[in-house]
Amino acid sequence: MKRRPGNALTLGSTLVLALLSGTAQAATVRAQLGDHGDYSRLVLSVPKGVAPVAVVDGCVLRISVSDPLRWPLASLRDSFSRRLSDFVTADGGRSLTATVPCGARVASVLERRNLIVDVGGPPVPGVKPGVGDGAVEVAAEMVVAGGEVPKVPPSVGVAEVVEALNPIGTANAAAMTLPLPAESPLPPGERVRVRGERGEDSREKHEVRPPHPDPLPGGERESPPLPVVASLESEVQDSIQKTLRQLERMPDRTPKPATQAAEPPKPPAPPPIAAMDLAGWAGEDFNRRREVLQVAIETARGRARVEAQIALVRFLLARAMDEEGRAALETAGSLSPAPDQRYALRILGDAFRALDREDAPDDNLFVQLPAGAMPDHNVWRSAALAPTRWAAAKEGLPIALRRLLDYPADLRSRLLTTLAAAADEAGDSAALNLIVLEMITVDSAGMADGRLDYFRGRLAELKATPDAALERYDAAAALRRGPFARRAEVRAIELRRGLGRLDEDGAIKALEALRFAWRGDDVETDALAALGGAYARSGRTDAALDIFGLLGRRFGATARGRDALTAGRSLLTAVLDRLEQSPPGGLYALALQARHGRLVTLADTADGGLRRRLASLLLRDGYGVEATRILHALTERATGPRRAELGATLARALIDGGREGEALDVLARTGGAGLEPGLAERRALLRADALLGDGDTVRALDALRGLGGAEAARLRAQGLFAAGEWRAARTAFAELAAEREATGAEPTADDLALQGLSAYLAGDRDATRGFSDAERARLAGTRWAGLLDAFAPPPADGPLRAESVERDLAAAGALDRLARGWRSTH
């Protein structure tokens, strides 16, 4: 007899199962992350009934929910974004955190079940985002808050008023004198109320007070009336009559010009950036200086508190402490700074961005404003432009290097390293020589981590002295610590391999040992890229693809993701070089697109050259669908003549794949005026080819009017053949064959077969008999291999019977109908 479990045991089992099922059924969140021109967008699709809340705390974005959820950390970390990174879950799955730029504008909205979070750049001081007259309103509020309203006559323009009221005007601006009105039209005790001014009735009513006392009876107005001059009315009438008599005596009166609509006021230009006292900001004693600044922040109030926070930000900038500086910037922005203080904070924020090698420096004030001869402006302008636009950055390099001599040691070392790395990447040996000389002069003791020897080795490589470069690299690598010592070791291995002093297997062993000697260092990306390139050159393409995927997975979504993608770009170039040398028909190009397509997109250059090479390899190996997807994405993002060229490449791939209708649509959407004659002719030939393949023979022949060359002649002959003009097609194919014989080009199998068919259908049996063994050899192995046997007349004894011929014709007709139906559905 079986024992039944007790009630307590049953209840406990039920509770455990319920808890387990609740844990297993935790809902999943879907995420999308992408970068736009001025902002980055994160979209989270949450389950029904969940209300997420997005809060920015310092430089961290936190999204909180009430119940635990499964967050897509893998996809978020694999996605590359300039403004959102380092995604981490906390509170047992109840929150998701991400790092955002300090001072960035963050906006969130919940649209049905989608939480949309937009992260933009820092706000522009004194200008409201999205409002054209924001500067006028801010200026008006600042003046009213001070207790004065300037008296402005109607003849003064709005732009002049804005310049007069600008609280952050230029340092050299001349004072603006405005003529005062004769007398205020307001009663005593009243003044003009500016929109947005605080008052006892500002939130209750918004009526406009009349400019003169209200004549209504009953004493409704409490203010006393204005004093009335007895002869005022008569004087006014006499003045009007006198003016009218003068106008009547004038012989010619020119018509008044038509009144023009007032132009909207332009926002004032930002004032120039003043000189920086970075040595004074840093101070001599770090601990004492920081303690003094912290005490000043704690004791100050109001505007003085913001000034004390700005002083702390300047101190952190002079000490090159970027992480603490961004946090201090965020704190200063939360203290409601005045417009001039916001402008100072923006300047400091742009300096920290330049120190951190920002990718998009166009909205940086040091780049937007002209530098002139301002030394500090030239320093930060060169630092901001160096990583991406070295040609513009080197314009102020002599002034910047001279000013850097007076900078604090830590900050000078960081900026010199940024400039040296940019000059090295651009291959500018003259500029790198100047930077290295300054490193030797002022920072040789502070660069004991191998940095100086590394850049001296790079300079020796640019000057084509490899032995001197190896000597410097070995000296840096002997330190065995720091990123530049490791980077010098990687460069020494690559240089020895290039000089033939180390074979490929030896380079792979050295790089593998270097890779596994440490983990997590930012130089590991260089070692991985070099190792993957060695794998690709030695034919180990699978291992090279694995290294490329490892670069994207480990470093693609971190703070050093940009360097990892740069290293991945060099590795991807080596892989594509290897695949282009391999015979067609392999699977490696397809594996690269299928496994690492998103990483290829991230690592590609702005012009999409690597993806175009991958698309060409896919087309060569017969993977047209994947190739057309890549070309579609490149075409949609391109503009101008490049868009037309990519559209032509995509149309060729679609025509070869039997998708002529899509090719016509692509050619229509990517065209434009002002194209080069060669590209315009190529697009016209593609359009004719697509029309011919789509069955529109008449329009195809019209599109070929005025076009010359062998390709146009071939398409014209094929069009005549498709239209049933056998004699004209036979003549066109004969002319095409003669033209190709004159140029020495070999005719294609299709052209030979269609020439013979057109001659046969035109009744020219002699032309069909003229096919020689050479033509038979050219048709061998193609779909036209048995065509010449079909042209041969039947033997005299008549092996053919009417029944067999009718049966073969019926089967051919059925197959033709099947083929046409297949083409219409596919």
Side-chain angles (χ1 to χ4, degrees):
M1 182 175 179
K2 297 182 180 180
R3 295 182 58 188
R4 296 184 179 179
N7 294 333
L9 181 59
T10 304
L11 180 59
S13 302
T14 305
L15 290 176
V16 171
L17 290 176
L19 290 175
L20 291 176
S21 62
T23 304
Q25 293 177 0
T28 303
V29 180
R30 293 182 300 170
Q32 292 180 348
L33 179 62
D35 280 2
H36 301 270
D38 299 329
Y39 62 95
S40 299
R41 172 164 292 180
L42 171 65
V43 181
L44 298 175
S45 299
V46 299
K48 186 176 182 181
V50 177
V53 178
V55 178
V56 178
D57 183 9
C59 305
V60 176
L61 169 68
R62 181 180 298 275
I63 300 171
S64 303
V65 293
S66 58
D67 299 326
L69 296 176
R70 287 199 297 267
W71 302 93
L73 288 180
S75 61
L76 288 173
R77 289 171 178 172
D78 288 344
S79 302
F80 176 73
S81 175
R82 296 199 307 268
R83 303 176 183 91
L84 284 161
S85 61
D86 299 336
F87 290 91
V88 179
T89 58
D91 301 333
R94 292 182 176 85
S95 65
L96 174 71
T97 61
T99 302
V100 298
C102 298
R105 296 193 303 268
V106 180
S108 62
V109 62
L110 186 61
E111 182 71 20
R112 294 183 181 178
R113 294 169 56 183
N114 295 325
L115 176 65
I116 304 173
V117 182
D118 290 343
V119 180
V124 180
V127 179
K128 294 182 179 180
V131 181
D133 57 350
V136 180
E137 295 180 2
V138 170
E141 292 176 2
M142 289 299 302
V143 175
V144 173
E148 295 183 2
V149 178
K151 301 175 182 180
V152 184
S155 60
V156 180
V158 178
E160 297 170 348
V161 175
V162 174
E163 186 177 356
L165 299 181
N166 185 13
I168 52 172
T170 58
N172 300 324
M176 179 178 177
T177 58
L178 301 176
L180 298 178
E183 189 175 355
S184 174
L186 297 181
E190 294 192 11
R191 60 184 178 87
V192 178
R193 187 170 297 277
V194 181
R195 179 167 63 90
E197 178 185 356
R198 296 182 179 179
E200 58 183 3
D201 58 346
S202 61
R203 291 179 294 177
E204 299 175 359
K205 51 185 178 179
H206 305 280
E207 68 271 16
V208 180
R209 299 184 179 182
H212 298 287
D214 197 344
L216 293 178
E220 296 178 356
R221 295 186 56 88
E222 297 179 0
S223 58
L226 287 171
V228 180
V229 181
S231 60
L232 178 60
E233 184 176 357
S234 59
E235 290 180 2
V236 171
Q237 290 180 357
D238 293 343
S239 176
I240 293 174
Q241 294 295 334
K242 182 178 179 180
T243 303
L244 291 176
R245 286 194 297 271
Q246 290 177 355
L247 291 175
E248 289 176 357
R249 287 195 297 270
M250 293 178 66
D252 296 325
R253 293 194 298 270
T254 58
K256 295 182 179 180
T259 59
Q260 298 180 355
E263 297 182 356
K266 297 181 180 179
I273 299 174
M276 299 179 178
D277 185 15
L278 288 158
W281 293 351
E284 296 181 0
D285 190 288
F286 175 83
N287 296 326
R288 184 177 180 182
R289 177 70 172 172
R290 187 163 190 169
E291 183 180 356
V292 170
L293 292 173
Q294 291 291 349
V295 171
I297 292 173
E298 293 173 359
T299 57
R301 294 292 180 270
R303 180 183 175 89
R305 184 180 178 87
V306 181
E307 290 293 338
Q309 190 70 30
I310 292 176
L312 177 61
V313 175
R314 288 170 174 167
F315 164 74
L316 296 172
L317 175 64
R319 293 287 182 173
M321 302 174 67
D322 46 0
E323 295 290 342
E324 296 84 349
R326 283 192 291 268
L329 278 171
E330 182 73 17
T331 304
S334 65
L335 297 177
S336 300
D340 57 336
Q341 294 173 330
R342 287 200 301 268
Y343 185 68
L345 288 173
R346 184 186 174 187
I347 292 173
L348 294 172
D350 289 346
F352 275 110
R353 288 172 51 199
L355 197 64
D356 199 30
R357 298 187 303 159
E358 183 71 17
D359 271 341
D362 292 329
D363 58 343
N364 195 308
L365 278 176
F366 295 102
V367 176
Q368 292 178 351
L369 299 180
M374 295 292 292
D376 292 303
H377 197 153
N378 278 281
V379 169
W380 294 103
R381 177 183 174 86
S382 297
L385 291 172
T388 55
R389 289 150 55 183
W390 175 248
K394 66 179 294 185
E395 294 176 358
L397 186 62
I399 302 176
L401 292 178
R402 197 178 308 117
R403 176 57 177 153
L404 280 173
L405 294 173
D406 300 327
Y407 272 33
D410 296 335
L411 184 61
R412 179 175 61 240
S413 177
R414 286 280 298 274
L415 293 174
L416 285 175
T417 302
T418 299
L419 295 174
D424 174 26
E425 186 176 356
D428 192 343
S429 60
L432 183 58
N433 188 28
L434 292 176
I435 300 170
V436 168
L437 285 176
E438 181 152 336
M439 287 180 174
I440 297 173
T441 304
V442 297
D443 276 350
S444 58
M447 292 190 174
D449 58 349
R451 185 176 322 188
L452 180 58
D453 284 324
Y454 171 76
F455 284 115
R456 292 182 72 178
R458 293 297 301 156
L459 180 61
E461 274 199 77
L462 292 177
K463 291 183 176 180
T465 54
D467 292 331
L470 283 175
E471 182 181 353
R472 293 300 174 184
Y473 289 150
D474 292 339
L479 298 175
R480 294 292 178 183
R481 59 182 179 87
F484 288 96
R486 300 294 189 180
R487 192 173 287 123
E489 194 171 352
V490 174
R491 287 301 310 159
I493 295 172
E494 288 288 290
L495 185 56
R496 285 189 173 90
R497 187 196 60 81
L499 294 174
R501 302 177 186 177
L502 191 66
D503 58 359
E504 204 68 65
D505 294 336
I508 290 175
K509 291 179 181 179
L511 289 170
E512 284 179 345
L514 183 62
R515 171 195 172 188
F516 291 108
W518 81 98
R519 299 302 299 271
D521 201 316
D522 55 358
V523 193
E524 189 176 356
T525 58
D526 297 337
L528 286 174
L531 180 59
Y535 283 152
R537 289 188 298 269
S538 61
R540 299 166 61 180
T541 310
D542 287 331
L545 292 181
D546 291 338
I547 293 293
F548 182 70
L550 179 62
L551 277 173
R553 287 194 302 273
R554 290 197 59 191
F555 306 106
T558 60
R560 57 179 181 268
R562 179 178 54 203
D563 296 333
L565 292 177
T566 303
R569 187 179 301 124
S570 62
L571 173 55
L572 181 59
T573 303
V575 171
L576 292 177
D577 291 341
R578 175 66 183 179
L579 294 180
E580 288 174 349
Q581 298 172 5
S582 62
L587 294 173
Y588 288 124
L590 180 62
L592 178 59
Q593 172 61 17
R595 292 164 54 187
H596 310 298
R598 191 187 61 82
L599 293 178
V600 171
T601 303
L602 291 176
D604 199 2
T605 55
D607 59 352
L610 297 177
R611 279 176 289 172
R612 289 189 66 178
R613 293 178 62 186
L614 179 57
S616 300
L617 287 171
L618 290 170
L619 288 173
R620 183 200 69 175
D621 295 339
Y623 307 111
V625 176
E626 290 76 9
T628 53
R629 286 177 181 174
I630 297 175
L631 293 174
H632 264 298
L634 290 173
T635 304
E636 292 302 322
R637 292 181 177 272
T639 57
R642 183 169 171 270
R643 178 180 174 87
E645 183 180 358
L646 286 171
T649 305
L650 175 58
R652 180 74 268 168
L654 291 171
I655 292 172
D656 294 340
R659 300 154 66 182
E660 288 83 2
E662 295 182 37
L664 290 173
D665 181 61
V666 168
L667 290 172
R669 287 188 294 106
T670 59
L675 299 178
E676 296 181 357
L679 180 58
E681 182 177 356
R682 178 186 169 198
R683 290 175 57 87
L685 291 173
L686 287 170
R687 183 173 179 272
D689 197 356
L691 289 170
L692 189 61
D694 204 28
D696 198 343
T697 309
V698 177
R699 292 178 60 194
L701 293 174
D702 290 339
L704 291 170
R705 294 181 183 275
L707 297 178
E711 182 66 18
R714 183 183 66 82
L715 292 175
R716 191 175 292 110
Q718 291 182 0
L720 292 172
F721 181 85
E725 300 291 337
W726 315 121
R727 295 184 182 277
R730 178 195 60 184
T731 305
F733 277 117
E735 293 175 355
L736 177 61
E739 182 177 353
R740 284 184 171 174
E741 288 179 2
T743 59
E746 290 288 336
T748 62
D750 288 349
D751 294 342
L752 288 174
L754 293 179
Q755 180 181 358
L757 280 173
S758 57
Y760 180 83
L761 295 173
D764 191 354
R765 304 299 176 87
D766 296 334
T768 57
R769 295 191 190 98
F771 276 84
S772 61
D773 295 336
E775 281 76 8
R776 184 183 297 274
R778 289 170 183 169
L779 295 180
T782 66
R783 58 175 179 166
W784 308 104
L787 182 64
L788 297 182
D789 296 333
F791 288 162
D797 53 357
L800 299 177
R801 296 183 179 179
E803 296 81 2
S804 62
V805 172
E806 291 176 358
R807 185 171 61 252
D808 293 341
L809 290 176
L815 289 175
D816 182 60
R817 285 194 298 272
L818 287 174
R820 282 182 296 178
W822 184 86
R823 292 193 188 98
S824 62
T825 56
H826 292 78

